[in-house]
Amino acid sequence: MTKTIAALLTVFNRKEKTLTCLQNLFAQELPEDTEIEVFMVNDGCTDGTPQAVREQFPSVNIIEGNGNLYWNRGMHLAWKTASTTKQYDFYFWLNDDTFLVDNALTTLIEVSKGMGDKAIIAGTTCEPHDPTIFTYGGITNSGQLVVPQDRHIPCDYFHGNIVLIPLYVYEKIGLNDPVFRHALGDFDYGKRAKKMGIRNILAPGILGKCESHETLPVWCDPKVSLKKRWKAFRAPLGNNPEEFLIYTKRHGSYSVAYFHYATNHIRVVLPWLWEYKRDKEHFVS
């Protein structure tokens, strides 16, 4: 019986990266009797991305967004569209700035098969020019990136760059939650799944290349004016305090959630009281 995969992407003004991403995706050597269909949300691109995709990859299903979806809501629209088109055996999250290695999908599918197609399988990415620097993948409860091994290992949750979700998981968990606009939707999905008894598994090795987006956020940069810090703080690509409050209440305690809500607001005003640390739990794009 043929296995079907719906690959899900959301894109905004990264034409060259998007085209490279799709080129690597369509170049994947899939197991026999496996088919893939791509659903891509165009969230208001102005750089010709959708036109170029139509020309080079005419089989891609392009879904028009409203320009205000950002990553998580764009992925929600892509997933909702795919799931109402027909029933797929797998749903595959892929960031458009993530370039798969040759065996990525085969590795994910093989690991999933070993789990009875009842676990979420995430893949690790590295810096494009340095395979020793891991950028995205599985994460521990302490917020640390899990170092990939030569076999699959568990993780607590994951980044959404490379994620294979079997039909069983989709039917149990559903879609990613659109309450989150840009970030946190991938973290939330993994944590919700774990609470419902679904295993989060990190596939072996490096499955893709993606540059790290981590820099000191504008909203807590003391070199930036308070006005600009506040604007960045409230923006969809910023800290999103109300969304972060929902996330921390859902996966922690109310006291911790409101503590972070208060201290993040203080940090906008007095950022020099904090020293910046690499913390993917708080700052992810």
Side-chain angles (χ1 to χ4, degrees):
M1 181 180 295
T2 300
K3 292 287 188 179
T4 56
I5 304 172
L8 314 175
L9 300 89
T10 185
V11 305
F12 177 71
N13 284 354
R14 293 197 290 206
K15 182 171 69 174
E16 295 307 319
K17 287 186 175 182
T18 298
L19 294 175
T20 301
C21 172
L22 290 172
Q23 182 180 9
N24 286 19
L25 174 61
F26 282 111
Q28 292 289 301
E29 293 186 7
L30 298 175
E32 291 185 8
D33 299 323
T34 302
E35 297 177 352
I36 189 165
E37 191 169 1
V38 180
F39 294 83
M40 185 189 84
V41 169
N42 164 36
D43 195 30
C45 291
T46 58
D47 66 345
T49 296
Q51 295 86 344
V53 170
R54 288 190 185 97
E55 180 180 339
Q56 297 187 35
F57 306 99
S59 66
V60 171
N61 298 286
I62 299 179
I63 307 152
E64 296 300 328
N66 60 17
N68 291 296
L69 295 175
Y70 297 90
W71 182 82
N72 186 63
R73 289 181 182 173
M75 294 297 282
H76 180 270
L77 177 59
W79 200 352
K80 183 177 180 180
T81 302
S83 64
T84 55
T85 299
K86 68 178 185 182
Q87 186 180 80
Y88 291 89
D89 296 297
F90 299 97
Y91 296 95
F92 178 48
W93 295 1
L94 179 64
N95 271 18
D96 71 328
D97 63 343
T98 298
F99 311 140
L100 298 173
V101 301
D102 292 341
N103 65 337
L105 265 175
T106 297
T107 299
L108 292 167
I109 292 169
E110 288 178 350
V111 173
S112 181
K113 183 178 179 180
M115 299 288 109
D117 290 333
K118 292 185 177 181
I120 298 173
I121 316 299
T124 301
T125 65
C126 69
E127 287 287 353
H129 304 296
D130 191 341
T132 66
I133 300 177
F134 308 123
T135 50
Y136 300 99
I139 311 173
T140 67
N141 278 329
S142 62
Q144 299 300 308
L145 198 63
V146 178
V147 176
Q149 306 297 317
D150 57 3
R151 63 179 304 276
H152 65 268
I153 53 177
C155 59
D156 293 307
Y157 56 108
F158 45 79
H159 295 111
N161 297 61
I162 299 175
V163 182
L164 187 70
I165 301 174
L167 176 62
Y168 172 85
V169 174
Y170 163 69
E171 290 181 334
K172 193 167 184 178
I173 310 299
L175 305 172
N176 55 316
D177 193 340
V179 70
F180 306 108
R181 289 173 291 180
H182 184 63
L184 299 178
D186 47 359
F187 292 179
D188 172 73
Y189 197 85
K191 290 188 175 183
R192 284 195 288 128
K194 187 175 181 180
K195 287 179 180 178
M196 296 183 69
I198 300 295
R199 290 173 292 177
N200 295 320
I201 301 296
L202 183 67
I206 296 171
L207 299 191
K209 299 178 180 181
C210 183
E211 293 178 345
S212 174
H213 301 158
E214 287 196 276
T215 58
L216 179 61
V218 172
W219 69 269
C220 58
D221 187 346
K223 297 179 182 179
V224 176
S225 69
L226 174 59
K227 182 178 180 180
K228 289 183 178 179
R229 290 200 305 270
W230 183 260
K231 183 177 180 180
F233 182 61
R234 304 297 308 180
L237 299 179
N239 188 256
N240 302 315
E242 284 73 32
E243 294 174 29
F244 193 75
L245 181 66
I246 293 170
Y247 174 78
T248 49
K249 285 196 298 184
R250 183 177 291 178
H251 303 295
S253 67
Y254 276 49
S255 59
V256 170
Y258 283 107
F259 173 79
H260 283 302
Y261 185 80
T263 55
N264 281 341
H265 281 79
I266 295 172
R267 188 171 184 178
V268 178
V269 180
L270 303 171
W272 45 85
L273 297 181
W274 277 261
E275 290 185 3
Y276 177 66
K277 297 188 298 181
R278 289 174 64 89
D279 185 352
K280 290 191 176 182
E281 176 73 13
H282 292 265
F283 313 122
V284 172
S285 62

